[in-house]
Amino acid sequence: MDRTESDIPDAGKADQASENPFSSMDPEMAANPQPVFKMLRESMPVLPVEGVGVALCRKVDVDAALRRPEIFSSNGYAVDLGNIRPLIPLQIDPPDQKKYRRLLDPIFAPRQVALLEESVTKLVNDLIDEFIDQRTIDFAASFSIPFPSQVFLTLLGLPLEELPKFLTMKDGIIRPEMVTGEPYGSDAMRKYQRSVAASIYTYFDEILDLREQRREDDLLSRLLDAEVEGARLSREEILDICYLFLIAGLDTVTATLDCMFAFLASHPQHRQDLTTDPNLIPGAVEELLRWETPVMGVVRIAMEDTEVAGCPIRKGETVSMLLGSANTDETEFPDADVVRFDREVNRHLAFGGGIHRCLGSNLARLEVRTALREWHRRIPEYSIAEGHTLVYTSGIRSIEHFPMVLSAKL
Ligand code: HEM
């Protein structure tokens, strides 16, 4: 993109794109994003991101843009995740996207998801059993990484022994540069990512063959039987949905747990409030999703020349919606900088907004709520290991290494 400063009217313009505090999406920013977001909203609500496009920082603009998919499209150009066809429904525009959502929404509706509560509770407790008598654990390795994948395996009706295979597939797509040690975007990295992608299609294809022969009480059987407008999904469509689930439903929950437990480990009063009154947990989940916003932003492509807050955006430019900034916008949230578990109105965008709003939000809420409830019942006191500074990944704010000291109720 060849945007120059003179293209951007004063209303929302950055003084110097090179001084852009957001451009690098660096780990420091991911560790403590709220002050940077505040500064951006005040000084450059439509932020030029050099060589990429723009980022929208205010809630009103993010909200409005997410509701205009005909102009800000989430089609296949927006993100390359090694997939050979567009991910369904994320990289599909209306009207087809709506057709897919009509078919998928009932599978993830609150009543369906509630049926999983017992098995999710058991998964949490089984994981806690494994480390409750240890003094120090790595929260990520012991809990936040395995838990969402185990839930997903349960949904698929697969044995928990598949976990390592699952994690290899997920990491090979989401962070191939870390697995391979090759620079992001390099040929070697792309080659590895594509080989993992191929193994994912094969993996799900083989299970679908089995379910085709004999249905089980699981997600894939439901996808095979689901119909919309009298038509069933093709095999390719189911594969494209499963591929997205692997990307969208695992790291997001891991990052959410990392962010929430890091916050609670360093805020004793909030932690104690949850321990003494578990009824606060649903409100705490929403408030911590708002404040921490584990998925910092989502990306769209401008389908035509347009403008936001007086700033021109050209057809083809990438538009990042900074969900974390929208969620801490004081014009929408009174006392936006205060974390209040009893906040009454909390229209946060941590699950996105508009037609692509998270399909798995009910499942995600169940997972996080259950984790907070069972954990605080059994481990009321915990802290980040002394002298350790947590390092957050950018984009999706997970914490790769999270040493935690426990004081469990044995
Ligand atoms: C706390 C955990 C989660 C967070 C923070 C989260 C966040 C998000 C966000 C921000 C989006 C919008 C993406 C965009 O507009 O570009 C999204 C979409 C999506 N999420 Fe989640 N997600 C979570 C958990 C899950 C889970 C457990 C699933 C499992 C099914 C899931 C499946 C999806 C799917 C399929 C979409 C695409 C929906 C569409 O395009 O219509 N997510 N999620």
Side-chain angles (χ1 to χ4, degrees):
M1 187 204 76
D2 57 356
R3 170 180 289 271
T4 61
E5 259 204 275
S6 56
D7 293 326
I8 307 157
D10 286 334
K13 135 178 170 183
D15 288 329
Q16 284 288 328
S18 56
E19 285 173 16
N20 175 350
F22 183 71
S23 59
S24 56
M25 292 279 283
D26 63 326
E28 226 168 276
M29 157 82 183
N32 190 24
Q34 298 88 356
V36 179
F37 287 145
K38 191 182 179 89
M39 189 268 287
L40 289 178
R41 280 190 309 273
E42 283 164 6
S43 59
M44 36 184 147
V46 180
L47 171 74
V49 182
E50 221 178 331
V52 182
V54 298
L56 307 185
C57 306
R58 298 187 311 192
K59 172 111 180 343
V60 62
D61 297 331
V62 172
D63 241 342
L66 286 174
R67 284 167 206 284
R68 293 165 75 202
E70 65 291 355
I71 296 180
F72 299 103
S73 164
S74 167
N75 66 30
Y77 304 110
V79 209
D80 177 8
L81 293 159
N83 44 308
I84 53 175
R85 294 177 296 268
L87 299 171
I88 297 176
L90 185 64
Q91 295 178 332
I92 306 281
D93 286 330
D96 283 349
Q97 191 269 355
K98 291 195 170 161
K99 184 187 79 180
Y100 289 122
R101 286 298 295 248
R102 274 207 301 283
L103 183 143
L104 292 168
D105 283 344
I107 299 179
F108 289 91
R111 200 184 300 173
Q112 275 311 116
V113 165
L115 301 175
L116 293 167
E117 172 127 25
E118 203 178 315
S119 42
V120 170
T121 304
K122 179 166 167 17
L123 286 175
V124 171
N125 280 299
D126 287 351
L127 279 172
I128 293 178
D129 285 344
E130 283 176 29
F131 56 72
I132 193 161
D133 52 359
Q134 293 173 28
R135 173 134 176 85
T136 306
I137 62 162
D138 186 323
F139 178 78
S142 301
F143 193 75
S144 68
I145 292 176
F147 171 52
S149 289
Q150 290 184 341
V151 172
F152 203 55
L153 285 167
T154 308
L155 264 179
L156 292 173
L158 295 173
L160 298 187
E161 289 72 45
E162 295 284 280
L163 182 65
K165 199 188 285 179
F166 238 64
L167 296 178
T168 305
M169 292 194 296
K170 165 182 83 74
D171 288 337
I173 292 299
I174 296 178
R175 48 181 70 82
E177 74 289 2
M178 286 163 93
V179 181
T180 56
E182 302 286 346
Y184 188 82
S186 64
D187 286 349
M189 183 225 92
R190 289 270 175 236
K191 197 169 163 214
Y192 175 75
Q193 193 188 44
R194 302 228 177 264
S195 74
V196 175
S199 75
I200 294 173
Y201 290 117
T202 308
Y203 180 80
F204 283 110
D205 212 19
E206 286 173 3
I207 311 170
L208 282 164
D209 282 343
L210 294 175
R211 298 295 184 267
E212 199 78 77
Q213 285 160 21
R214 212 186 78 185
R215 298 289 197 270
E216 302 280 349
D217 180 16
D218 65 16
L219 180 62
L220 293 181
S221 302
R222 239 157 274 153
L223 289 176
L224 283 168
D225 288 334
E227 281 186 13
V228 68
E229 293 164 9
R232 289 196 178 178
L233 294 165
S234 69
R235 175 64 67 102
E236 283 192 349
E237 286 172 318
I238 300 183
L239 290 174
D240 299 339
I241 291 169
C242 290
Y243 195 104
L244 174 59
F245 284 170
L246 199 64
I247 294 165
L250 306 180
D251 260 35
T252 46
V253 179
T254 298
T256 301
L257 292 169
D258 288 345
C259 289
M260 290 188 179
F261 277 83
F263 177 92
L264 291 164
S266 45
H267 291 79
Q269 188 56 54
H270 287 83
R271 189 171 68 239
Q272 199 187 327
D273 289 348
L274 286 195
T275 309
T276 46
D277 185 2
N279 292 324
L280 288 174
I281 288 174
V285 170
E286 299 312 311
E287 181 66 344
L288 290 173
L289 276 168
R290 179 191 76 81
W291 175 247
E292 295 290 335
T293 311
V295 178
M296 294 172 83
V298 297
V299 178
R300 298 292 186 263
I301 299 290
M303 301 307 279
E304 56 186 64
D305 288 349
T306 184
E307 55 101 10
V308 171
C311 297
I313 297 174
R314 295 208 191 98
K315 181 177 176 178
E317 284 190 340
T318 296
V319 182
S320 302
M321 320 275 172
L322 301 188
L323 302 177
S325 180
N327 280 345
T328 44
D329 189 334
E330 34 299 285
T331 56
E332 166 77 19
F333 301 97
D335 297 331
D337 288 346
V338 182
V339 174
R340 288 200 339 233
F341 291 165
D342 62 351
R343 188 177 287 276
E344 277 181 9
V345 181
N346 198 345
R347 282 189 288 263
H348 66 73
L349 295 177
F351 288 116
I355 60 163
H356 290 285
R357 189 184 172 282
C358 181
L359 170 70
S361 63
N362 298 313
L363 175 61
R365 284 183 167 122
L366 171 73
E367 292 182 49
V368 176
R369 220 173 43 229
T370 310
L372 288 178
R373 187 187 67 226
E374 296 305 305
W375 184 288
H376 289 91
R377 182 174 66 76
R378 301 182 66 187
I379 312 175
E381 285 298 321
Y382 52 93
S383 54
I384 300 162
E386 216 178 307
H388 185 84
T389 305
L390 297 178
V391 178
Y392 291 69
T393 56
S394 57
I396 295 187
R397 304 177 57 222
S398 56
I399 300 169
E400 304 269 305
H401 176 51
F402 186 166
M404 182 190 267
V405 179
L406 310 182
S407 310
K409 274 190 205 166
L410 289 177

